[in-house]
Amino acid sequence: MADVIKMPKMSDTMTEGVLAKWHKKVGDKVKSGDVLAEVETDKATMDMESYWDGTLLYIGVEEGSSVPVDAIMAVIGKEGEDYKAALEAEKGAEAPKAESTDAPKAEEKKEEAAPAQGGGLTEEELAAKGVTVIRMPLLSDTMTEGVIAEWHKKVGDKVKDDDVLADVETDKATMEVMGYATGTLLHIGVEKGAAAKVNGIIAIVGPEGTDVSGILAGGSAPAPKAESAEAPKEEKQATAADANTSAPVAESSSDSRVKASPLAKKIAKDKGIDLAQVAGSAEGGRIIKKDIENFKPSAAPAKAESASAPAAEKAAAPAPVIPQYVGEVKFTEAPVSQMRKVIAKRLAESLFTAPHFYLTISIDMDNAMAARTAINAVAPVKVSFNDIVIKAVAVALKKHPAVNSSWGGDKIRFNEHTNIGVAMAVEDGLLVPVVRFADGKSLSHISAEVKDFGGKAKAKKLQPADWEGSTFTVSNLGMFGIDEFTSIINSPDGAILSVGAIQQVPVVKNGAVVPGNVMKLTLGCDHRVVDGATGAQFLQTLKGLLEEPIRLLA
């Protein structure tokens, strides 16, 4: 019988893999141990081997596709064998799950498709009859609701498409809301001083006497073809742009507020037109879009031309004209890699599950710098400050096993071995290979191991055995000049150490201020297993080891 090949679980955190490349095609002969494909996991690109001999009868996944763990990928069997029975048997085992999960979705869609019912017409039917449903607009990027500060119209009033219906107070400013509709104000859904969610119904405009009970019965959720969503994009953008302007676009000579629609203000500003010179044609002398478009300098009000000569002489120098710069909103998007997906998932779980707290300490690195120079004069491999920190951490953990622990829900695991995870930045994210039993290794040994891990990490050649089993993690950003920072714990570890740069600063020694080399360390702790005093004692021990590095060789 044919053998079905499924996506293997290649690491402890893997939930899916991307089929990077097939090395075999349908009809090829396959032997046990042959590489069938390359799979990109969350941490590395790895080879997927065959454990069977035969012919590749079926490939169910295209290159570049994402495949969940245990999903069917291919079928191997005898040449000419009918593999469909084996394939159907595997799919049949998964069918009950699919049906049980799909049924509720079908019901939900059914419910969503049902139109809002009421005593009158639906929103779509109303739109066909010239009725406009006005909803609370999104007036800023952070707005979730708006408060009706003032209604300028009441139910029964005649409304034009450029009339201001209400003033809305957002989280950033008080702004005008226009209806973009002509007719009678049939309904006001939010009283003055009350809040309405974005997209909630605040008013309805249409022919006088129209029954709007149907749309009101449907609640505040917007219909797929809501008329309010069809307001000209240009005018919406103008409203948003006007919100970010703290001062009025223009003022009259008497400093009174110029009445103009947001779009008219925007066009006037772009064209450099003084609104005080424009005569408004809307109700109350309000300036609208067509007034700006039809404006000609020669048509300016007579009062501007009849200004007296003495007044002109005493006039202040004209305000500087700010040039208009038109930029382009531009961006690119890229699919999230497998590595980035798992980093996001695991770090979010760690941060929101483990109660983090942080302790920071300053280390005098003068003796460590001198020791490193002496060691590198004779060592077969150059030793870095990070290698010294790893060794010191491992030795300190042996004296403070509570920091070398992890939370297990109903028990705490105290590790007697010291496996130090070393955080390494790679192109797609972050990898944490593990230096095992670091307390028993020499500085040269640790340095050689870390360098080897760094090369493998960049080439995506690390194997699961390289990154599993850490008991504590060290993250170093000192090479980037970062003074100090905090890190999220690498679960299931109980703590993580953030290593900053060595800074030359004034220090006090023997009562005198002298230049000194100081490095800051920040210990991030899971408060479920590490208490404040325990973490502080660990840092005191670590400080002593780094300030007297000869103790690391004892």
Side-chain angles (χ1 to χ4, degrees), residues 202-267:
I202 60 173
I204 299 176
V205 175
E208 188 173 357
T210 304
D211 181 6
V212 296
S213 57
I215 185 58
L216 295 177
S220 61
K225 296 181 181 178
E227 286 291 324
S228 60
E230 295 177 3
K233 183 178 179 183
E234 180 187 17
E235 295 186 8
K236 288 184 180 179
Q237 289 176 343
T239 303
D242 190 57
N244 296 327
T245 307
S246 58
V249 173
E251 295 183 354
S252 65
S253 57
S254 61
D255 291 331
S256 61
R257 181 174 176 273
V258 175
K259 293 182 179 180
S261 71
L263 182 57
K265 292 179 181 179
K266 174 71 167 55
I267 297 173

Side-chain angles (χ1 to χ4, degrees), residues 173-207:
T174 298
M175 303 173 64
E176 297 174 341
V177 172
M178 299 173 66
Y180 302 108
T182 300
T184 300
L185 186 57
L186 304 172
H187 171 76
I188 287 179
V190 183
E191 297 296 326
K192 176 181 175 180
K197 297 288 184 184
V198 169
N199 284 332
I201 296 174
I202 60 173
I204 299 176
V205 175

